[in-house]
Amino acid sequence: MLVSKKFTKHKDAYQVILDGVKGGPKEKRLAAQFIPKFFSSFPELADAAINAQLDLCEDEDVSIRRQAIKELPRFASGENLPRVADILTQLLQTDDSAEFNQVNTALISIFKIDAKGTMGGLFSQILQGEDIVRERAIKFLCTKLKMMPDDTMTKEVEDYIFIETKKVLEDVTGEEFVLLMRILSGLKSMQTVSGRQQLVELVVEQAFLEQALNPTDADSVDRLLQCTRQALPLFSKNVHSTRFVTYFCEFVLPNLSLLTSPVAELDIQLEVLKLLAEMSPYCGDMDKLEVNLNMLFEKLLEFMPLPPEEENGENAANEEPKLQFSYVECLLFSFHQLGKKLPDFLIDKISAEKLKDFKIRLQYFARGLQVYIRQLRVALQGKTGDALKTEENKIKVVALKITNNINVLIKDLFHNPPSYKSTVTLSWKPVQKAEAAAIGQKRQSGEDIGATATTKKLPTNLPRRDARQIYNPPSGKYSASIGNFSYEQRGGFRGGRGRGFGGRGNRSRGRIY
């Protein structure tokens, strides 16, 4: 009580300290230290004290600003904490690196005091602040949350993050969407099957799967690509990709040749087919399975040419049909995966004439494969270590993997009745350890050599920047480019925000704390 009376008597002295923010550099430095030091002793001057400290946070002298920012966490108690968090979030817009780091440190310190309260300040600015503040607040959460201790990131805090992030997702750019999904995917509560299912639902909402795709609108295509990429890591035997696979079969495959790429150098058709192939193993029960499987089958036929009619001389002067191996690998893999769900499709669901036509195409493609596999095996024979690290040989390793994959799948479909039992690893994906071990124990055939080379070299020695290079095999009857090897499209959505990446409304400007 005596101590309290003592400090009350010194209220006027504290007011002098507050007025020091209007003085010279020395007075301001002292004020930056003493305002927070005695802040708790003068609750009736709390608002004036915080406002005075904020004036110092905006001082022209960077050293004064840094000192004032450093002391801000001392104001973060009780009902003042969300306000301090809001202020610090706004200060993230500074261009001074040391000052920016100081703001980050201050935010982390109050986060450990009251995580939910700090989140309130951050999300307030993400939802209502200036674009630069919003951007940096989202990046702060994306980089710092994973570093927080478990006792800070409680279930209550994670639930709050999920609820607030859903609000933000109603009005985001593509880049923000990716960062926010990264934040949510890192939460402990999202590591369960139900958690991953919730994340898939969020992506479905952003992907607009209830609307038909406009293939000539680059933004719409870009949105679908980005959303599908975010959903892919979430799929499993318990979290199904059915809605995405269905959408691709119904709206994307029929318009494959019309798709407008959001990035000039991207092979949009191959990118889409690769996404479909990666999703297909996780497809659950599909309402229109036969219809969608037929669409996949028809698209596969487009990329599997009939052999030239050499016997009548009609095509003798024409070029040999192009064998687009990368496209066929994706389509054949997807057909093989969905075909497991309707194994009698090639027997009862298509005509005998169409089946005969398909087998002729398969046989012709298989003959071309054998030529390439032999050429690639010869080219890679005896090469190890650094020799396999050259750009040309890295491409040949992937080319061998592609052709081997197609060869295995074609053999399955040639069975009578067709079989869907073989498993392959898509050429751009790392080979699983179990598969690699099995390969190592077998006698190495043509397929095994390609798979082994990929196992050893593809994950570590095939950077994504090499993905779009093309391997041109030696000229001959089956000559054609192996195809583009696009691994991941860079960049985000174009344009501003709106619901699901449209245009965000105008934000207030200036200090609002």
Side-chain angles (χ1 to χ4, degrees), residues 406-424:
I406 298 173
N407 197 38
V408 170
L409 297 174
I410 286 179
K411 285 181 180 179
D412 251 18
L413 297 181
F414 259 120
H415 280 102
N416 191 15
S419 170
Y420 299 93
K421 295 180 180 179
S422 294
T423 58
V424 299

Side-chain angles (χ1 to χ4, degrees), residues 214-287:
N214 179 357
T216 60
D217 178 26
D219 288 344
S220 296
V221 174
D222 196 21
R223 175 201 303 276
L224 181 62
L225 292 182
Q226 292 275 31
C227 289
T228 307
R229 290 193 194 101
Q230 291 304 309
L232 259 177
L234 304 171
F235 296 139
S236 67
K237 64 179 182 179
N238 297 315
V239 181
H240 295 154
S241 60
T242 312
R243 277 178 289 183
F244 280 90
V245 173
T246 299
Y247 190 86
F248 272 56
C249 290
E250 292 183 358
F251 297 107
V252 181
L253 290 182
N255 297 299
L256 191 64
S257 62
L258 301 176
L259 293 176
T260 301
S261 175
V263 180
E265 69 271 18
L266 177 70
D267 183 340
I268 186 63
Q269 294 188 50
L270 180 57
E271 183 73 10
V272 163
L273 294 178
K274 287 170 66 176
L275 289 172
L276 176 59
E278 288 196 59
M279 292 189 292
S280 59
Y282 309 112
C283 184
D285 295 335
M286 187 180 285
D287 292 337

Side-chain angles (χ1 to χ4, degrees), residues 91-109:
L91 293 173
L92 285 171
Q93 63 188 293
T94 179
D95 292 326
D96 181 87
S97 59
E99 189 175 341
F100 180 78
N101 291 335
Q102 190 70 63
V103 174
N104 273 264
T105 301
L107 271 171
I108 292 171
S109 68

Side-chain angles (χ1 to χ4, degrees), residues 39-57:
F39 170 72
S40 61
S41 301
F42 303 97
E44 66 276 21
L45 293 176
D47 284 344
I50 293 175
N51 287 329
Q53 194 76 4
L54 296 183
D55 286 338
L56 296 174
C57 290

Side-chain angles (χ1 to χ4, degrees), residues 9 27 29 34 44 91-92 110 126 221 250 302 313 327 332 353 355 362-363 388 394 454 456 459 502 507-508:
K9 288 171 57 179
E27 289 81 2
R29 288 191 181 92
F34 287 110
E44 66 276 21
L91 293 173
L92 285 171
I110 68 169
I126 290 173
V221 174
E250 292 183 358
E302 291 182 22
Y327 287 58
L332 202 54
E353 183 179 349
L355 177 59
L362 285 177
Q363 191 171 39
L388 285 174
K394 284 190 289 187
T454 307
K456 293 179 178 178
R507 301 298 187 190
S508 59

Side-chain angles (χ1 to χ4, degrees), residues 282-301:
Y282 309 112
C283 184
D285 295 335
M286 187 180 285
D287 292 337
K288 301 177 182 178
L289 177 58
E290 184 179 338
V291 173
N292 292 330
L293 197 54
N294 190 66
M295 170 54 66
L296 197 50
F297 177 72
E298 293 294 337
K299 190 59 61 175
L300 177 60
L301 291 181

